[in-house]
Amino acid sequence: MNRRQQNLWGFIFLTPQLIGLLAFSLIPVLFTFSLSFMKWDGFGTKEFIGLANYTDQFTNPDFWKALMNTAYYTVLVIPVQIAISLVVAIALNKIKGKNFYRLFFFMPVVTSSVSIGVIWMWILNGDFGILNQVLANVGIDGPMWLTDTKWVMPSIAMLSIWWGLGYNMVIFLAGLQGISRSYYEAADIDGASNWQKFRHITLPLLSPTTFFITIMAIISSFQVFDQAYVMTSGGPAKSSYTFVYHIYEAAFVDFDMGVSSAAAMILFVIILMFTLFQFKMSKRWVHYEDQ
């Protein structure tokens, strides 16, 4: 098979993925962008109104409430989730039967978000939830997790940390297994402690993996929706009213597709800015083994 035939077969095998990318990603994004300049209820005639939808968002208290709630959720979830995932991955990397534990921790990732939300609604129920019963057994009066404005977002964050633990742990575990044992053997010869090996070998060589997980976790956290929709419907008093919930409500409750599209494009720009910022900052702390 010559080079031209190889390229042809390569394009043939790529065609289904390219069609999917166009049909379900690029075209919808372009349609959403054009719709953000329109007034449309999803059924009638579209009316071009320029930047009015964007102006409406920046003067809408619900927009800022959703943005602040989402930022608060991100701050709660990202550091804790990454830290716990790393600790679990390091622990599993040193024990036998790691494949079983990897499957065990990964199971929630492939479980329906609705099912998980319903189960955690029972766990976090302030009156008869299992978490408050456990706390009562040690003399702690648990809060009304999902109906208290102070605790509802930490409650959702708690669920998300548990839910995403398996995915991040598997990625960290793959990164740990990719670090050559020769580094640790050399450190043992030099008499390095476990902390010194972790600080000067594991963390630097694991930084590309940490960078990837951080990027994906930030993107995921800004898109949080299922938990708030199933467990709290954005309440109480919009304390769990997230940005994607705001987009959903504008589109399918208020039937204002233009406003919803404008909010979606703003979210796209926010995520893009955070991602580009992370890539810029990564030059200072991400280290590759061949450097």
Side-chain angles (χ1 to χ4, degrees), residues 87-101:
V87 170
V88 174
I90 292 174
L92 292 185
N93 194 43
K94 297 180 179 180
I95 64 175
K96 294 182 179 179
K98 60 172 64 73
N99 289 335
F100 169 77
Y101 290 105

Side-chain angles (χ1 to χ4, degrees), residues 2-120:
N2 57 39
R3 182 80 174 186
R4 185 174 181 180
Q5 290 175 322
Q6 289 178 345
N7 292 338
L8 177 61
W9 278 108
F11 283 117
I12 290 174
F13 285 118
L14 282 174
T15 298
Q17 182 65 29
L18 292 175
I19 293 174
L21 179 65
L22 287 172
F24 301 109
S25 295
L26 297 181
I27 293 176
V29 167
L30 293 176
F31 180 72
T32 301
F33 178 71
S34 64
L35 199 59
S36 67
F37 300 102
M38 308 286 181
K39 183 175 180 59
W40 186 45
D41 62 2
F43 301 98
T45 304
K46 301 181 185 70
E47 178 186 354
F48 180 80
I49 56 174
L51 296 175
N53 289 327
Y54 291 94
T55 303
D56 172 80
Q57 286 302 284
F58 289 123
T59 57
N60 186 348
D62 287 345
F63 169 86
W64 295 107
K65 181 70 172 177
L67 183 60
M68 294 302 296
N69 285 342
T70 304
Y72 178 43
Y73 168 87
T74 302
V75 171
L76 288 175
V77 171
I78 302 301
V80 178
Q81 190 178 77
I82 292 177
I84 295 177
S85 300
L86 178 58
V87 170
V88 174
I90 292 174
L92 292 185
N93 194 43
K94 297 180 179 180
I95 64 175
K96 294 182 179 179
K98 60 172 64 73
N99 289 335
F100 169 77
Y101 290 105
R102 182 161 47 189
L103 175 64
F104 177 79
F105 279 103
F106 196 77
M107 285 177 64
V109 179
V110 296
T111 305
S112 166
S113 59
V114 175
S115 301
I116 288 177
V118 171
I119 292 172
W120 275 79

Side-chain angles (χ1 to χ4, degrees), residues 15-270:
T15 298
Q17 182 65 29
L18 292 175
I19 293 174
L21 179 65
L22 287 172
F24 301 109
S25 295
L26 297 181
I27 293 176
V29 167
L30 293 176
F31 180 72
T32 301
F33 178 71
S34 64
L35 199 59
S36 67
F37 300 102
M38 308 286 181
K39 183 175 180 59
W40 186 45
D41 62 2
F43 301 98
T45 304
K46 301 181 185 70
E47 178 186 354
F48 180 80
I49 56 174
L51 296 175
N53 289 327
Y54 291 94
T55 303
D56 172 80
Q57 286 302 284
F58 289 123
T59 57
N60 186 348
D62 287 345
F63 169 86
W64 295 107
K65 181 70 172 177
L67 183 60
M68 294 302 296
N69 285 342
T70 304
Y72 178 43
Y73 168 87
T74 302
V75 171
L76 288 175
V77 171
I78 302 301
V80 178
Q81 190 178 77
I82 292 177
I84 295 177
S85 300
L86 178 58
V87 170
V88 174
I90 292 174
L92 292 185
N93 194 43
K94 297 180 179 180
I95 64 175
K96 294 182 179 179
K98 60 172 64 73
N99 289 335
F100 169 77
Y101 290 105
R102 182 161 47 189
L103 175 64
F104 177 79
F105 279 103
F106 196 77
M107 285 177 64
V109 179
V110 296
T111 305
S112 166
S113 59
V114 175
S115 301
I116 288 177
V118 171
I119 292 172
W120 275 79
M121 285 176 66
W122 172 69
I123 294 174
L124 298 173
N125 187 283
D127 296 319
F128 55 81
I130 187 173
L131 180 56
N132 275 3
Q133 291 181 17
V134 171
L135 293 176
N137 290 335
V138 294
I140 299 176
D141 187 15
M144 303 295 288
W145 297 98
L146 299 178
T147 56
D148 189 328
T149 56
K150 295 180 180 179
W151 284 100
V152 63
M153 193 56 77
S155 300
I156 294 176
M158 193 189 316
L159 181 158
S160 299
I161 291 168
W162 169 82
W163 193 11
L165 174 65
Y167 175 82
N168 293 335
M169 180 272 298
V170 168
I171 302 298
F172 269 130
L173 192 57
L176 287 169
Q177 293 175 349
I179 299 176
S180 175
R181 296 299 307 172
S182 61
Y183 294 105
Y184 297 103
E185 293 169 359
D188 289 332
I189 294 174
D190 291 337
S193 64
N194 289 332
W195 167 250
Q196 289 173 326
K197 287 187 284 187
F198 174 76
R199 172 67 179 82
H200 297 289
I201 298 176
T202 304
L203 279 183
L205 294 182
L206 204 60
S207 58
T209 305
T210 306
F211 173 61
F212 170 77
I213 289 176
T214 302
I215 290 292
M216 299 305 295
I218 290 176
I219 292 173
S220 177
S221 65
F222 271 97
Q223 295 176 336
V224 60
F225 171 74
D226 298 7
Q227 301 92 309
Y229 180 78
V230 173
M231 299 173 66
T232 63
S233 298
K238 294 195 173 182
S239 296
S240 60
Y241 186 73
T242 63
F243 206 99
V244 176
Y245 197 101
H246 174 67
I247 295 172
Y248 159 81
E249 192 172 71
F252 300 108
V253 176
D254 300 333
F255 291 99
D256 196 333
M257 302 299 173
V259 167
S260 177
S261 297
M265 294 310 302
I266 293 172
L267 178 61
F268 171 79
V269 172
I270 291 173

